[in-house]
Amino acid sequence: MISGKKEARQGTCNRIIKVNHAGEFGAINIYRAQIIAARLLMPGLRTQLEEFLSHERRHLATFADVLRARGIPRCRSFWLCGIGGFALGLVSSLFGRPGIMACTAAVETVVTEHLVEQLRFLESAGDWQAAQAVRSIVADEEDHKAVGVSQGQQSWVFKPLGAVVAMATSSVIWLGMML
Ligand SMILES: [Fe+2]
Ligand SMILES: [Fe+2]
């Protein structure tokens, strides 16, 4: 009975890593789409977005390493996150710089809140490897959020677009935890 409970907790720890791995692929594709749009319409934003993209690639590799070490496959939501992320990136780009920043702020607000919850769970379960992987991305995500908020919040589009993006992000995390 006790070992069954322990197994269930470990299953949740593994699922958290799978969902984060898929989520990072989603983030990569948001920035990929936004960089394509920025290249055409907002060249001044490109450097910033490429820097964010490089962080997301590193986050993906961090979670991929944990999955590989444990011999567990990626989440079934992986491609959904990628395609959904690309679509969010394109749609947000239609609103220019404020749209891109609203998207970043909304995604990262949901993500950073989620990371805190995940850390609490992983530490209580004693999964130090997974906790360390999560901890290693927190500062980057906080930073992305701060840039998004400071550069987007003055625009009318910030709240409505942010609400849609936040809902999409929460839904995909929820779905990933269910799959
Ligand atoms: Fe990330
Ligand atoms: Fe991020």
Side-chain angles (χ1 to χ4, degrees):
M1 189 67 190
I2 292 172
S3 80
K5 205 172 163 190
K6 206 174 161 194
E7 260 171 42
R9 281 167 85 79
Q10 193 51 54
T12 304
C13 295
N14 291 345
R15 179 132 299 285
I16 285 171
I17 296 302
K18 287 169 97 166
V19 165
N20 289 11
H21 174 255
E24 296 299 348
F25 186 58
I28 284 172
N29 280 286
I30 290 176
Y31 292 125
R32 269 184 186 152
Q34 291 175 339
I35 287 167
I36 292 170
R39 218 176 263 160
L40 299 171
L41 306 166
M42 299 161 273
L45 254 186
R46 209 175 133 183
T47 308
Q48 174 85 82
L49 294 172
E50 280 172 353
E51 193 189 328
F52 286 172
L53 177 62
S54 74
H55 298 160
E56 308 302 358
R57 287 192 200 280
R58 195 172 62 221
H59 303 169
L60 180 79
T62 298
F63 293 120
D65 284 346
V66 180
L67 291 183
R68 208 173 303 120
R70 298 180 179 195
I72 47 180
R74 64 189 174 202
C75 187
R76 269 178 279 180
S77 72
F78 186 82
W79 290 106
L80 173 72
C81 284
I83 294 164
F86 199 83
L88 274 188
L90 282 184
V91 170
S92 60
S93 300
L94 296 176
F95 299 91
R97 175 189 276 265
I100 287 179
M101 291 302 161
C103 181
T104 297
V107 169
E108 304 290 14
T109 298
V110 173
V111 165
T112 49
E113 282 167 8
H114 205 67
L115 293 177
V116 172
E117 277 175 42
Q118 290 181 337
L119 262 180
R120 207 175 297 139
F121 184 87
L122 293 169
E123 282 168 359
S124 75
D127 189 338
W128 309 117
Q129 183 190 44
Q132 180 48 35
V134 170
R135 215 177 290 118
S136 74
I137 72 162
V138 170
D140 284 343
E141 309 298 23
E142 294 276 8
D143 190 44
H144 301 169
K145 175 182 155 185
V147 172
V149 171
S150 70
Q151 294 191 24
Q153 67 183 347
Q154 289 83 12
S155 167
W156 67 270
V157 84
F158 190 77
K159 275 198 174 166
L161 184 64
V164 173
V165 172
M167 203 167 66
T169 307
S170 299
S171 309
V172 96
I173 293 172
W174 176 83
L175 185 73
M177 288 305 286
M178 291 297 140
L179 283 174

